[in-house]
Amino acid sequence: MIKLEEVLQIPTYTGSEELMVEFIRGFCVENGFEHYLDKKNNIYVTKGKINEDEYYPCIVAHTDTVHRDQEDLILNGENITIKNLLTSEGKTKLMGWNSLRDVPTGIGGDDKCGVYICLKMLLELDTIKVAFFVEEETGMHGSKNADKDFFKNVGYAIQFDAPTANWFSQTLLGEKLWTQDFFDVVKPVLESNLIDNISKDPYTDVYQLRKKFNICCAVFPTGYYNQHTVREYVIPEETENCVKIGLEAVKSLGNKKYIYS
Ligand SMILES: [Zn+2]
């Protein structure tokens, strides 16, 4: 079992990600998932075995946030206080609070919602790889060092990192992420989940994976809003739905390789 708030309450920002890395490592130990860390502290998890002609799907999230104002929480061993509020439509929304200074702080759904979605999917799926990269926000420094051995038998990669509940990246830094073959498989999943915002975006870790390993990649939404601000909030109902969307996408894409060409 894992709860969204359990992940969101962990303070983490670029370069000070130890608490999140430890949390993920502890989760893997507790559940008996095969995993290792590289010298950057990126975490790689493998669950299940594949046949010789098969490939692993890989899901991805990053362990940092932009919220440097959480340094005092980390130094004092305090978690982020989660405030339970309502949207104008009456949905639960979660926001972050620094109880040491009694001021708002970013809840860090970017990308702790992604971390949560990956851990939930890891519990649900029999055969999956997961990569958690450090230091994404300041220029993908974790994924620039992605372990090529881990990706040898990976067929495609999906990162959970986009805001809102309606987002699917087409390009990052002007580079296309997927081929038409890949998109044709994913399209019914997007359509049935009312995702029609096909977006051209700045960057995230799968940009590195597509370039380095020549595999099709995707970026899915995670249910956070007001990206990179102290007013950031998360709609848990949407984050949970992104888990469902992720599972549907992986089941549709299967254990195949989608070469980017
Ligand atoms: Zn992000």
Side-chain angles (χ1 to χ4, degrees):
M1 272 295 286
I2 182 167
K3 290 203 170 95
L4 176 58
E5 292 191 31
E6 200 183 342
V7 181
L8 292 175
Q9 71 181 357
I10 301 169
T12 175
Y13 62 90
T14 311
S16 290
E17 300 159 55
E18 292 81 3
L19 293 172
M20 184 54 72
V21 170
E22 270 314 304
F23 177 82
I24 295 167
R25 201 218 294 250
F27 179 88
C28 290
V29 170
E30 198 180 303
N31 289 284
F33 297 140
E34 179 190 328
H35 65 285
Y36 65 95
L37 276 69
D38 66 13
K39 59 179 187 306
K40 286 294 287 180
N41 260 359
N42 298 315
I43 308 172
Y44 303 92
V45 193
T46 303
K47 184 181 175 191
K49 294 271 176 270
I50 50 167
N51 296 323
E52 251 175 48
D53 57 341
E54 290 181 327
Y55 292 87
Y56 283 98
C58 181
I59 51 176
V60 177
H62 63 85
T63 58
D64 61 330
T65 75
V66 299
H67 305 296
R68 295 183 171 273
D69 60 315
Q70 291 169 8
E71 186 180 11
D72 58 344
L73 292 175
I74 294 174
L75 290 174
N76 288 283
E78 287 284 331
N79 280 332
I80 299 165
T81 303
I82 307 284
K83 293 215 170 192
N84 238 293
L85 304 160
L86 289 177
T87 66
S88 52
E89 297 93 44
K91 286 183 182 175
T92 297
K93 72 169 177 182
L94 306 176
M95 295 186 82
W97 196 262
N98 180 325
S99 53
L100 292 175
R101 285 182 282 121
D102 216 20
V103 291
T105 187
I107 191 163
D110 175 7
D111 191 24
K112 288 184 277 181
C113 285
V115 170
Y116 170 77
I117 291 166
C118 287
L119 294 177
K120 276 279 275 214
M121 287 179 68
L122 181 56
L123 290 173
E124 293 277 335
L125 292 163
D126 294 330
T127 311
I128 189 79
K129 283 194 165 194
V130 194
F132 296 97
F133 291 113
V134 299
E135 297 174 24
E136 184 272 343
E137 295 285 4
T138 51
M140 305 170 283
H141 299 293
S143 50
K144 271 180 188 166
N145 291 279
D147 182 356
K148 65 177 191 316
D149 286 337
F150 181 82
F151 286 94
K152 265 182 189 156
N153 54 8
V154 164
Y156 56 94
I158 297 176
Q159 183 150 13
F160 294 88
D161 194 18
T164 80
N166 181 11
W167 206 288
F168 185 78
S169 301
Q170 177 175 25
T171 63
L172 296 174
L173 293 172
E175 282 282 342
K176 213 164 168 209
L177 291 177
W178 33 261
T179 59
Q180 192 60 41
D181 284 357
F182 180 88
F183 189 68
D184 287 344
V185 180
V186 174
K187 206 175 164 200
V189 176
L190 300 179
E191 282 175 351
S192 65
N193 288 288
L194 309 177
I195 297 175
D196 59 5
N197 173 31
I198 311 297
S199 178
K200 295 181 175 175
D201 297 315
Y203 65 78
T204 188
D205 300 304
V206 288
Y207 170 82
Q208 295 295 334
L209 304 183
R210 211 240 66 205
K211 298 271 281 184
K212 280 171 175 295
F213 309 123
N214 225 26
I215 48 173
C216 288
C217 293
V219 183
F220 273 69
T222 60
Y224 68 80
Y225 292 77
N226 294 343
Q227 184 172 28
H228 297 177
T229 73
V230 295
R231 306 299 299 164
E232 189 186 352
Y233 66 89
V234 170
I235 299 187
E237 183 187 316
E238 293 184 353
T239 306
E240 294 296 345
N241 198 49
C242 294
V243 175
K244 181 188 86 83
I245 297 169
L247 291 171
E248 288 175 16
V250 166
K251 277 172 190 158
S252 299
L253 289 160
N255 293 93
K256 291 185 203 161
K257 184 162 190 169
Y258 296 83
I259 297 167
Y260 183 84
S261 51

